[in-house]
Each structure stands twice: as structure tokens, then as C-alpha cells.
Amino acid sequence: MTDAASTPAAAEVPETVATYLRLRGLKPSSTSWRRKRRIVDDENAPFTPGRDPGSLGAVLDRLSRDSGWQTTLAREDLVRQWADLAGADTAKHSEPVSLERGLLTVKCDSTAWAKNLQFMRATILTEIGRRYPDAGVENLRFIGPDVPSWKWGPRAVPGRGPRDTYG
């Protein structure tokens, strides 16, 4: 045996560490090598609660919540599922066109549909709040079809447009 292995300090150093230190030209001693304390991490320890894999829906929900996408996704769901929310017949004659600052604007085929939906405004707004609370809808506005515009072309002049065109 060598002199380093016969010293009492070298007896405490594991053989692999002692060999490494001898090859580097250093004397193995118990003060130069200390066993590292293992950090106990209860969160990542096996067989602890919360270590089971979660469902894909739960993972995506947490990702969207952490990324701040919940409002945007709720608004997209509201527009995409307008037929389920308002009813199939109503959805044939109306569609959401904008959602700005809590005001959902719905465009209707006719002024009659806009007026009827205005009467149902409280019911629709309550249903939106129940199904899509993260969308941030606070008010509804129903508009009819657009009237023709006489403001087009390079030589448009101010005024009300032709007045006796429609009889």
C-alpha cells in the first residue's frame, strides 16, 4: 500500500475520491472532501401528492391562466358559440361584430330583429355573464343593417345626399 492510504485521514475518504486526488497530485484528506448534504425537496419526491400526471385540459387551463389568455379565449368562445348562446333562429339573423371596453356589439339582419333582441337584452346579458364570466361583457348593443352611404369617390361633397331618389 501507499503512504496516502495508510494515513488515518485517508481512511475516511472514499476510494474513488482518494484515487482522483492522488492522480491530480494532491493528498487525500477528510477536510478537502466532504459529503454533500442531500437537499430534501418534498415537491419533487416520488410518491408524494401532486406528482401524478394531470389531464391535458387541466394543464392547458393552467397554461392559459398563467399566460393571461383567459379573457381572450373567453371572448373567442363567446363569438364562436353565439348560436348556442342566443339560439339557432336568432343566430341566423344576428352575429357579434365587436367587443370593446365591455360593450358587445351585435349586428342584425333587420331593424325588427335588432329591436326584438333589445327586448331580450337582459336575458342574453345574464346568460353571457353565467357562461363566459372572463369575457368581460358588461353591456350589449344591437344594431340593424347599415344604410347606404353616399360618401364615396374622390369628389364627395358634404350634405345629406340625394333627397328625392326614393320617391
Side-chain angles (χ1 to χ4, degrees), residues 110-131:
S110 66
T111 53
W113 273 101
K115 193 63 171 175
N116 283 334
L117 288 178
Q118 185 67 30
F119 292 137
M120 297 172 42
R121 183 174 166 268
T123 306
I124 294 172
L125 194 58
T126 303
E127 192 65 20
I128 289 172
R130 187 181 67 79
R131 289 188 188 184

Side-chain angles (χ1 to χ4, degrees), residues 65-135:
R65 185 179 57 247
D66 293 345
S67 300
W69 299 338
Q70 279 190 319
T71 302
T72 305
L73 291 175
R75 289 178 176 184
E76 293 294 325
D77 283 344
L78 175 106
V79 172
R80 191 173 49 84
Q81 297 176 357
W82 176 251
D84 293 338
L85 181 74
D89 292 336
T90 305
K92 288 179 188 175
H93 300 282
S94 65
E95 65 175 332
V97 290
S98 72
L99 178 55
E100 295 176 358
R101 291 186 230 122
L103 176 67
L104 176 65
T105 304
V106 179
K107 184 177 179 181
C108 302
D109 288 348
S110 66
T111 53
W113 273 101
K115 193 63 171 175
N116 283 334
L117 288 178
Q118 185 67 30
F119 292 137
M120 297 172 42
R121 183 174 166 268
T123 306
I124 294 172
L125 194 58
T126 303
E127 192 65 20
I128 289 172
R130 187 181 67 79
R131 289 188 188 184
Y132 309 104
D134 292 333

